[in-house]
Every structure is written in structure tokens, then in C-alpha cells.
Amino acid sequence: MDPLSSLLSGIRAEGSVVSHVVLTVPWAVRFADIAPLTMISVLRGGGVLLLPDGTQRALGAGHTALVRGPGPFHLVDHPAALDSSHAAYEITCFTESSECGTQELSGIRWGSDSEEAAALIVGAYRASGHRHERLLRALPPVVVVEEDAEVCAWLEAAAADAASLSAGSQALMDRLLDWALVCTLRSWFDRAGADAPSWYRGLADPVLAPALQSFHDRLAEPWTVASLAARAGVSRALFAKRFTHLMGRPPLAYVTECRMDEAETLLSDTDLGIAQIARSVGYADAFGFSAAFKRHKGRSPSTYRAAAAGAASGPRATR
């Protein structure tokens, strides 16, 4: 499994869609949430994102924004809306009730022909375990990608169908949002250049891609620079030089980093024994794995697992 697919396996849209909504100015929507990731697609009209750190990002028709959680943020028709009379809405997902809900959304007009109206699709993504954290670390606080008009028209039609509450509508919208997340991330990574994660840049490189794909498909194999170079079809020296230049670290440093990240996920999200986890990430025994994990993560595997279990059983965050 390639790195992006692996990371996306830890985050899903499941019963989380708010809806396809049409807002008439002046309006403001507050996202009072603990969702790890929220997607806003502007089908018509536009608005301005107001993030907790004061960042403002204008969104127009065709823009899709991914906002990294869990802090609250606003989407408004104009930055001054918060300080003047406006229609106020609030969206909360994954709160204590684990349901996505709205306040005062019953007054939203559907299918308005007003030129000032904004039509949106809003969805929030639920995390399953800790794998998604590596994806979020690769993203800035907000990602904005522009889609073409045909995609927007198709999204609006699909949202309208889901809103009809016909059989399978929730599953349809959940899968639609999962698809949209993959497409949005790939589009942003393609355009991000040097700001894209190193593993994504590597997978786009014709020399490194075969080696990276082989490694991520078979993490437990005893990979060496020579065996990775053989997958790439180049000399060991050329592979190491190209890898270090593009990925920002030597090949085996990257191999160890990926193995330790995967070990973190397995320690947090599974009941596998230390020896089993060691073998699954390429170590012959638990002793060697434990020493490597403590060297790279600062804690032994058992200490890390106990801390993760304690955090998971603690009180949930509320707003």
C-alpha cells in the first residue's frame, strides 16, 4: 500500500456529512468541532475562512478547503459579518454524542437563485486510531484547491440526491466525501512542490518510485541500500545520492522512520505483542526493536503503549 493510501485508511467520512446548504447574506457559520479534518466545497458564491490564529482565506466558486482540526473556526460571507447583524449557524460533529448536528439550520434556503447566495457542501472526517495523525502532520492548517465547473456541478447534483434521504443516501455521501478527500489531497500535493511530503515527492520520481513502492508494500523485509537500489534499477551510489537529495535524509534513515511510525500506530491501535510488532516492521527480535524504538521515540514500546492507552481512556475534549 502506498503511503497516502495507508494514511487515508485511518480517516473516513462516516455519517459525518452536514449537508448541501445554501446561505443568503449576511451569514456566518461556526465550526465548533473536534473533527480532525473538515472539508468545505464552494459550489456557488463564496466566503472567507477565519482560522483560530487569525488567518483569513477567501474561498470562491470551485474552491475546496481542507481545514485541520480540532480547533473551532468560522466561515463567513465577509470578515465583518461577525461584528454586525447576521444569520448565525453552528455545526458540531464528533462531540460527546458522536453525532453530527446543526443549530438553527432549518432556516437555510435550498436552491436559491439569488446571485449573493453561497452553495456549500460541508463534511467532517472521523479518525479511526492514530494513523491519520501522520497525514495531518503533513498538512498546513488549511489547504485550498480549485476544481473546475463540471466537478462542482456533479458534486451539487450528488449532494442534492443525498439530501433527498432516499435509500443509501448517507453511504453515497460518505463515499463521495472520501473520494473528494483523496482527489483534493492529490491535487494539493501535486501543486505543493517542495512543500509536499517527501514520500509524495519520492513516489513522483521515476527512479525512487519503484523502490519506495516496494518498501511500503513489504515493510518487514530486510531492506538495504543495495536492495532498494536494485528495485530502482540504478547503482547503490546513485540511488543513495538521489534519495538523500530528494527526500532530505539517507535511505536507511527514511526506512527506520517509517518503521517507527508504523510501530507507533500498531502499539496504539492493536493488541499485538511487542515481538509481533517487531517482526511486522522488519526487526528479528523484540530486543532490537525496543532499543530502536526508544532511540527514535524517546520511550520504550511498553511505556508508549501505556501512555497511549491512558490518553484514549481519558476525558474527551469538549467545546
Side-chain angles (χ1 to χ4, degrees):
M1 184 182 295
D2 67 86
L4 181 56
S5 296
S6 177
L7 297 183
L8 285 170
S9 69
I11 190 164
R12 284 285 186 270
E14 294 182 5
S16 62
V17 64
V18 173
S19 200
H20 163 215
V21 298
V22 178
L23 301 160
T24 303
V25 296
W27 54 266
V29 180
R30 181 176 185 265
F31 294 79
D33 217 333
I34 56 172
L37 200 64
T38 301
M39 187 183 76
I40 302 167
S41 291
V42 181
L43 306 177
R44 288 180 283 120
V48 180
L49 278 173
L50 305 179
L51 302 185
D53 63 359
T55 299
Q56 298 184 12
R57 290 293 300 269
L59 301 180
H63 285 156
T64 292
L66 296 174
V67 184
R68 198 179 66 200
F73 63 96
H74 288 84
L75 180 66
V76 298
D77 67 296
H78 188 276
L82 293 181
D83 300 319
S84 60
S85 178
H86 62 275
Y89 308 100
E90 184 170 278
I91 295 172
T92 57
C93 300
F94 315 134
T95 56
E96 291 290 340
S97 64
S98 297
E99 295 178 355
C100 199
T102 60
Q103 296 180 5
E104 301 300 331
L105 285 178
S106 59
I108 290 178
R109 293 198 291 155
W110 292 71
S112 170
D113 293 327
S114 169
E115 294 182 358
E116 296 181 320
L120 315 169
I121 291 178
V122 181
Y125 294 86
R126 185 188 302 274
S128 57
H130 291 74
R131 192 178 299 276
H132 75 285
E133 293 173 359
R134 283 146 57 192
L135 172 63
L136 298 185
R137 288 198 297 267
L139 299 177
V142 60
V143 166
V144 178
V145 173
E146 187 169 3
E147 308 288 356
D148 59 42
E150 290 184 1
V151 171
C152 290
W154 182 81
L155 280 171
E156 187 163 15
D161 180 74
S164 68
L165 301 179
S166 58
S169 59
Q170 183 64 66
L172 169 65
M173 188 54 92
D174 286 345
R175 299 294 76 77
L176 173 65
L177 289 176
D178 286 338
W179 171 85
L181 177 60
V182 175
C183 292
T184 300
L185 287 173
R186 287 181 59 176
S187 295
W188 184 78
F189 286 150
D190 284 341
R191 301 169 192 177
D195 292 329
S198 59
W199 47 262
Y200 194 85
R201 300 196 306 270
L203 286 169
D205 182 80
V207 173
L208 301 188
L212 284 170
Q213 188 66 61
S214 296
F215 164 64
H216 284 285
D217 282 345
R218 297 183 293 279
L219 200 68
E221 286 195 14
W223 294 103
T224 63
V225 176
S227 62
L228 289 169
R231 292 288 182 179
V234 297
S235 70
R236 184 180 182 276
L238 176 60
F239 178 81
K241 181 178 180 180
R242 189 181 186 95
F243 192 103
T244 303
H245 172 72
L246 188 61
M247 305 288 283
R249 50 208 177 283
L252 294 187
Y254 176 82
V255 166
T256 301
E257 178 184 313
C258 291
R259 285 172 168 168
M260 295 301 103
D261 285 344
E262 180 64 16
E264 274 191 332
T265 299
L266 295 175
L267 287 166
S268 301
D269 299 342
T270 75
D271 294 325
L272 293 175
I274 303 299
Q276 291 174 291
I277 293 175
R279 289 191 295 271
S280 70
V281 296
Y283 287 81
D285 57 71
F287 179 79
F289 163 69
S290 296
F293 189 89
K294 186 172 184 178
R295 185 166 58 251
H296 287 272
K297 299 298 183 179
R299 289 184 286 184
S300 68
S302 56
T303 301
Y304 177 86
R305 169 168 272 174
S313 62
R316 296 184 61 180
T318 58
R319 300 290 173 198

